[in-house]
mmCIF file of all heavy atoms in Angstrom:
data_model
loop_
_atom_site.group_PDB
_atom_site.id
_atom_site.type_symbol
_atom_site.label_atom_id
_atom_site.label_comp_id
_atom_site.label_asym_id
_atom_site.label_seq_id
_atom_site.Cartn_x
_atom_site.Cartn_y
_atom_site.Cartn_z
ATOM 1 N N GLY A 69 1.509 43.401 17.942
ATOM 2 C CA GLY A 69 1.739 42.257 17.063
ATOM 3 C C GLY A 69 0.575 41.306 17.193
ATOM 4 O O GLY A 69 -0.088 41.255 18.242
ATOM 5 N N ARG A 70 0.279 40.570 16.128
ATOM 6 C CA ARG A 70 -0.820 39.602 16.186
ATOM 7 C C ARG A 70 -0.243 38.190 16.204
ATOM 8 O O ARG A 70 0.604 37.832 15.375
ATOM 9 C CB ARG A 70 -1.769 39.767 15.003
ATOM 10 C CG ARG A 70 -3.071 38.980 15.219
ATOM 11 C CD ARG A 70 -4.182 39.355 14.303
ATOM 12 N NE ARG A 70 -5.425 38.746 14.768
ATOM 13 C CZ ARG A 70 -6.532 38.665 14.060
ATOM 14 N NH1 ARG A 70 -6.590 39.198 12.842
ATOM 15 N NH2 ARG A 70 -7.604 38.081 14.563
ATOM 16 N N VAL A 71 -0.708 37.392 17.147
ATOM 17 C CA VAL A 71 -0.173 36.048 17.346
ATOM 18 C C VAL A 71 -0.604 35.147 16.190
ATOM 19 O O VAL A 71 -1.798 34.998 15.911
ATOM 20 C CB VAL A 71 -0.652 35.458 18.682
ATOM 21 C CG1 VAL A 71 -0.134 34.033 18.853
ATOM 22 C CG2 VAL A 71 -0.194 36.328 19.845
ATOM 23 N N SER A 72 0.387 34.537 15.525
ATOM 24 C CA SER A 72 0.095 33.630 14.431
ATOM 25 C C SER A 72 0.312 32.172 14.809
ATOM 26 O O SER A 72 -0.186 31.265 14.137
ATOM 27 C CB SER A 72 0.956 33.961 13.208
ATOM 28 O OG SER A 72 2.338 33.831 13.512
ATOM 29 N N ARG A 73 1.066 31.957 15.896
ATOM 30 C CA ARG A 73 1.324 30.587 16.350
ATOM 31 C C ARG A 73 1.814 30.645 17.786
ATOM 32 O O ARG A 73 2.463 31.604 18.195
ATOM 33 C CB ARG A 73 2.362 29.915 15.455
ATOM 34 C CG ARG A 73 2.705 28.489 15.846
ATOM 35 C CD ARG A 73 3.572 27.833 14.794
ATOM 36 N NE ARG A 73 4.060 26.534 15.230
ATOM 37 C CZ ARG A 73 4.720 25.680 14.465
ATOM 38 N NH1 ARG A 73 4.975 25.997 13.194
ATOM 39 N NH2 ARG A 73 5.136 24.522 14.936
ATOM 40 N N VAL A 74 1.493 29.607 18.565
ATOM 41 C CA VAL A 74 1.899 29.554 19.970
ATOM 42 C C VAL A 74 2.781 28.333 20.196
ATOM 43 O O VAL A 74 2.437 27.221 19.779
ATOM 44 C CB VAL A 74 0.670 29.490 20.904
ATOM 45 C CG1 VAL A 74 1.115 29.355 22.360
ATOM 46 C CG2 VAL A 74 -0.195 30.734 20.734
ATOM 47 N N ASP A 75 3.935 28.556 20.827
ATOM 48 C CA ASP A 75 4.808 27.478 21.262
ATOM 49 C C ASP A 75 4.903 27.543 22.781
ATOM 50 O O ASP A 75 4.331 28.436 23.406
ATOM 51 C CB ASP A 75 6.196 27.615 20.626
ATOM 52 C CG ASP A 75 6.137 27.487 19.112
ATOM 53 O OD1 ASP A 75 5.538 26.511 18.634
ATOM 54 O OD2 ASP A 75 6.679 28.372 18.423
ATOM 55 N N ARG A 76 5.647 26.630 23.375
ATOM 56 C CA ARG A 76 5.761 26.618 24.837
ATOM 57 C C ARG A 76 6.491 27.868 25.325
ATOM 58 O O ARG A 76 7.665 28.047 25.030
ATOM 59 C CB ARG A 76 6.511 25.374 25.295
ATOM 60 C CG ARG A 76 5.723 24.082 25.102
ATOM 61 C CD ARG A 76 6.463 22.920 25.717
ATOM 62 N NE ARG A 76 5.695 21.683 25.612
ATOM 63 C CZ ARG A 76 6.104 20.511 26.098
ATOM 64 N NH1 ARG A 76 7.284 20.430 26.713
ATOM 65 N NH2 ARG A 76 5.362 19.428 25.961
ATOM 66 N N GLY A 77 5.784 28.694 26.057
ATOM 67 C CA GLY A 77 6.393 29.874 26.635
ATOM 68 C C GLY A 77 6.768 30.949 25.641
ATOM 69 O O GLY A 77 7.452 31.912 25.991
ATOM 70 N N ALA A 78 6.341 30.811 24.400
ATOM 71 C CA ALA A 78 6.680 31.793 23.375
ATOM 72 C C ALA A 78 5.608 31.801 22.302
ATOM 73 O O ALA A 78 4.766 30.895 22.220
ATOM 74 C CB ALA A 78 8.047 31.484 22.757
ATOM 75 N N VAL A 79 5.612 32.843 21.486
ATOM 76 C CA VAL A 79 4.656 32.956 20.390
ATOM 77 C C VAL A 79 5.366 33.473 19.146
ATOM 78 O O VAL A 79 6.434 34.083 19.224
ATOM 79 C CB VAL A 79 3.499 33.923 20.746
ATOM 80 C CG1 VAL A 79 2.689 33.408 21.914
ATOM 81 C CG2 VAL A 79 4.043 35.330 21.042
ATOM 82 N N GLU A 80 4.781 33.196 18.009
ATOM 83 C CA GLU A 80 5.187 33.841 16.766
ATOM 84 C C GLU A 80 4.174 34.931 16.486
ATOM 85 O O GLU A 80 2.966 34.689 16.543
ATOM 86 C CB GLU A 80 5.225 32.848 15.608
ATOM 87 C CG GLU A 80 5.695 33.450 14.292
ATOM 88 C CD GLU A 80 5.766 32.428 13.172
ATOM 89 O OE1 GLU A 80 6.524 31.462 13.314
ATOM 90 O OE2 GLU A 80 5.042 32.606 12.172
ATOM 91 N N VAL A 81 4.646 36.134 16.232
ATOM 92 C CA VAL A 81 3.746 37.257 16.020
ATOM 93 C C VAL A 81 4.024 37.908 14.669
ATOM 94 O O VAL A 81 5.158 37.914 14.185
ATOM 95 C CB VAL A 81 3.880 38.318 17.137
ATOM 96 C CG1 VAL A 81 3.371 37.768 18.454
ATOM 97 C CG2 VAL A 81 5.319 38.785 17.274
ATOM 98 N N LEU A 82 2.977 38.459 14.071
ATOM 99 C CA LEU A 82 3.097 39.235 12.853
ATOM 100 C C LEU A 82 3.056 40.706 13.248
ATOM 101 O O LEU A 82 2.126 41.144 13.921
ATOM 102 C CB LEU A 82 1.959 38.900 11.892
ATOM 103 C CG LEU A 82 1.857 37.438 11.447
ATOM 104 C CD1 LEU A 82 0.654 37.246 10.537
ATOM 105 C CD2 LEU A 82 3.134 36.987 10.755
ATOM 106 N N THR A 83 4.067 41.465 12.836
ATOM 107 C CA THR A 83 4.165 42.874 13.181
ATOM 108 C C THR A 83 4.285 43.701 11.906
ATOM 109 O O THR A 83 4.299 43.164 10.792
ATOM 110 C CB THR A 83 5.398 43.139 14.068
ATOM 111 O OG1 THR A 83 6.584 42.978 13.281
ATOM 112 C CG2 THR A 83 5.436 42.174 15.241
ATOM 113 N N ALA A 84 4.397 45.002 12.076
ATOM 114 C CA ALA A 84 4.521 45.889 10.924
ATOM 115 C C ALA A 84 5.822 45.660 10.173
ATOM 116 O O ALA A 84 5.947 46.033 9.000
ATOM 117 C CB ALA A 84 4.432 47.348 11.378
ATOM 118 N N THR A 85 6.809 45.039 10.833
ATOM 119 C CA THR A 85 8.106 44.811 10.196
ATOM 120 C C THR A 85 8.346 43.357 9.828
ATOM 121 O O THR A 85 9.406 43.015 9.326
ATOM 122 C CB THR A 85 9.243 45.286 11.120
ATOM 123 O OG1 THR A 85 9.134 44.613 12.384
ATOM 124 C CG2 THR A 85 9.160 46.788 11.334
ATOM 125 N N GLY A 86 7.384 42.491 10.070
ATOM 126 C CA GLY A 86 7.545 41.088 9.708
ATOM 127 C C GLY A 86 7.199 40.148 10.841
ATOM 128 O O GLY A 86 6.713 40.563 11.902
ATOM 129 N N ALA A 87 7.473 38.864 10.634
ATOM 130 C CA ALA A 87 7.200 37.846 11.647
ATOM 131 C C ALA A 87 8.335 37.803 12.665
ATOM 132 O O ALA A 87 9.514 37.903 12.302
ATOM 133 C CB ALA A 87 7.038 36.485 10.991
#
Side-chain angles (χ1 to χ4, degrees):
R70 193 165 191 194
V71 178
S72 61
R73 180 171 172 173
V74 177
D75 297 309
R76 290 186 177 181
V79 297
E80 182 178 299
V81 292
L82 301 178
T83 70
T85 56

